[in-house]
Amino acid sequence: MLRPDSFALIAALGALAALGPLSNDIYLVSLPSMTEAFGASVERVQLTLTAFIVGFAFGQYIYGPLSDRFGRRPLMLVGLVLYIAASFVAASAPTVEVLIAARFFQAIGMNSGPVLGRAVVRDLYDRERAARLLSYMAVIAGFAPVVAPIIGSHLHVSFGWRANFVFVALYGVIALIVVALHFGETNRNPDPEALRPRRMAGNIRTLLSSRLYLGYALTISCVGAGMFAFLSGSPFVFLKVLGFAAADFGYLFSICMSGYLIGSLVSGRFVLRLGMDRLLLLGIALALVGGLSMALLAALHVSHVAAILVPMFIFMFAFALVLPQAMSGAMTPFPRIAGNAASLVGLCQYGLSAVVGTAVAALFDGTQMPMAGAIGAMAVLSALAYATLVRPART
């Protein structure tokens, strides 16, 4: 079994956390051509993204209480089996409706990796070390949004869009083997009443009545929704608005996502030296710079690729600073319901992301303005959540 203080455990948890961006980013390049393959509208095909985020949001709260009751390891195994099965269904989907359904269940299964991985970290480490470990997990997971669109572009060009779902299914098989053979149980104090409706309602009430928890959750959720606005809109902006070829998309997307990878390295390196609060403030400030500058350039009708790449790189760098600090801050006060705390943050984040992503698709007008405007708005809302909820509660 992997030791709690080993790099191998961090690497494994990071690889599990990578399931989310890998599952989403690898097939983004295929979205425009899938409208032709299925004879469906842009909005209809975009529902494959929205269904994934809805499933992710829904699944967030399944794993928390269940893992508080039965442990982290068995729920990881069940989730990965569901993920693999749904991925193979997606790869063979005859209609867009079947693909939408498969993506929903793929997301529910995929939740077991990032949600329970965060709970494992909280089981093993205190506040500052948890933030550091979450940052290092993000470094490993951060390779997924950098390499996934490049892999997806080549698979799409060589074999078609279905190959992307075969690839992630095989990745899930490897993850399942690793968890089955090398993961031990970290929940040493399972709660036998965790699934009772009164206890679940009480846990939710405890979390939502905490101004600090709510502030951290909203701070993460708004920045995360800004990122999803980019996931939803970028294939159409790069391929339809700016006129790039499908083979180029992976590299353009990866430039933006590399900001997340670099930001995660910075976060893990400096969190113990500078502290969570300073890094979180820096992340919020940079999210404002990136989001508002992209929105301003779009409003000025600057249709150059740099008007997307540079602001989004800054925004993703900022997201990497915000996520681990705010997540650790949200979970630390609630060690006995760490699964619940992690799940509810995810439910908030991906619920908002589904709404924002759907709005970006519905408002697409042949320009980058809907995407850029949504990213800028989410950056502002994240800053407001921190200023009105987190900061007053910590002073």
Side-chain angles (χ1 to χ4, degrees):
M1 295 298 164
L2 299 177
R3 297 191 313 274
D5 57 347
S6 67
F7 173 76
L9 177 62
I10 301 170
L13 291 174
L16 287 169
L19 280 170
L22 180 67
S23 303
N24 249 347
D25 301 349
I26 197 168
Y27 89 114
L28 292 177
V29 66
S30 302
L31 288 177
S33 63
M34 286 166 68
T35 60
E36 301 171 8
F38 287 119
S41 65
V42 170
E43 292 82 2
R44 194 71 171 168
V45 172
Q46 284 281 14
L47 286 177
T48 62
L49 274 174
T50 303
F52 186 86
I53 297 303
V54 171
F56 203 174
F58 178 73
Q60 290 284 317
Y61 207 70
I62 293 176
Y63 290 102
L66 285 172
S67 71
D68 286 340
R69 171 63 183 89
F70 298 110
R72 318 302 184 202
R73 183 177 182 273
L75 269 297
M76 278 190 181
L77 294 172
V78 171
L80 286 170
V81 169
L82 176 59
Y83 174 82
I84 294 165
S87 297
F88 279 121
V89 171
S92 58
T95 66
V96 70
E97 289 77 17
V98 172
L99 180 58
I100 291 169
R103 288 281 289 167
F104 175 80
F105 288 104
Q106 185 189 40
I108 292 179
M110 181 273 301
N111 266 291
S112 61
V115 173
L116 298 179
R118 292 195 295 264
V120 166
V121 170
R122 181 59 192 89
D123 289 339
L124 299 175
Y125 304 103
D126 60 18
R127 184 175 185 266
E128 298 290 339
R129 288 195 68 199
R132 188 184 192 193
L133 267 294
L134 288 170
S135 296
Y136 284 140
M137 282 172 55
V139 171
I140 297 167
F143 280 101
V146 174
V147 302
I150 297 174
I151 294 172
S153 295
H154 288 291
L155 288 174
H156 173 83
V157 171
S158 300
F159 304 106
W161 64 266
R162 297 180 188 274
N164 292 318
F165 292 104
V166 174
F167 182 92
V168 297
L170 296 177
Y171 184 97
V173 170
I174 295 171
L176 178 65
I177 293 171
V178 171
V179 172
L181 297 181
H182 299 292
F183 266 52
E185 182 55 59
T186 60
N187 183 4
R188 303 302 181 189
N189 299 292
D191 182 358
E193 298 185 354
L195 298 179
R196 293 187 177 181
R198 181 175 295 182
R199 174 61 65 87
M200 293 177 68
N203 289 341
I204 295 174
R205 186 165 53 250
T206 296
L207 294 170
L208 295 183
S209 63
S210 168
R211 187 172 186 173
L212 192 63
Y213 179 86
L214 192 59
Y216 279 129
L218 290 174
T219 300
I220 293 173
S221 298
C222 292
V223 180
M227 180 191 70
F228 191 73
F230 180 72
L231 297 183
S232 181
S234 61
F236 297 93
V237 170
F238 284 138
L239 303 182
K240 299 295 186 181
V241 178
L242 300 179
F244 285 95
D248 299 324
F249 173 80
Y251 298 100
L252 296 170
F253 191 89
S254 295
I255 290 172
C256 300
M257 292 298 109
S258 64
Y260 181 79
L261 178 60
I262 296 171
S264 298
L265 286 167
V266 170
S267 179
R269 180 71 176 82
F270 290 102
V271 63
L272 294 183
R273 184 180 306 177
L274 300 178
M276 287 172 46
D277 297 317
R278 287 183 181 178
L279 279 182
L280 180 56
L281 273 173
L282 177 60
I284 292 169
L286 288 174
L288 284 170
V289 171
L292 292 179
S293 61
M294 187 190 294
L296 177 61
L297 289 169
L300 295 174
H301 305 290
V302 179
S303 297
H304 191 278
V305 67
I308 304 297
L309 296 182
V310 175
M312 199 61 208
F313 178 93
I314 297 171
F315 189 90
M316 291 308 303
F317 184 96
F319 183 47
L321 299 185
V322 169
L323 180 60
Q325 324 314 328
M327 181 62 73
S328 181
M331 291 193 301
T332 296
F334 309 99
R336 291 194 61 82
I337 53 171
N340 265 277
S343 292
L344 198 56
V345 170
L347 177 63
C348 181
Q349 177 184 345
Y350 291 100
L352 180 60
S353 294
V355 173
V356 172
T358 301
V360 169
L363 296 173
F364 180 68
D365 59 358
T367 74
Q368 71 265 42
M369 190 64 219
M371 180 187 77
I375 294 170
M378 289 301 105
V380 171
L381 290 176
S382 179
L384 287 174
Y386 179 85
T388 59
L389 294 171
V390 176
R391 193 157 192 172
R394 292 196 60 81
T395 55

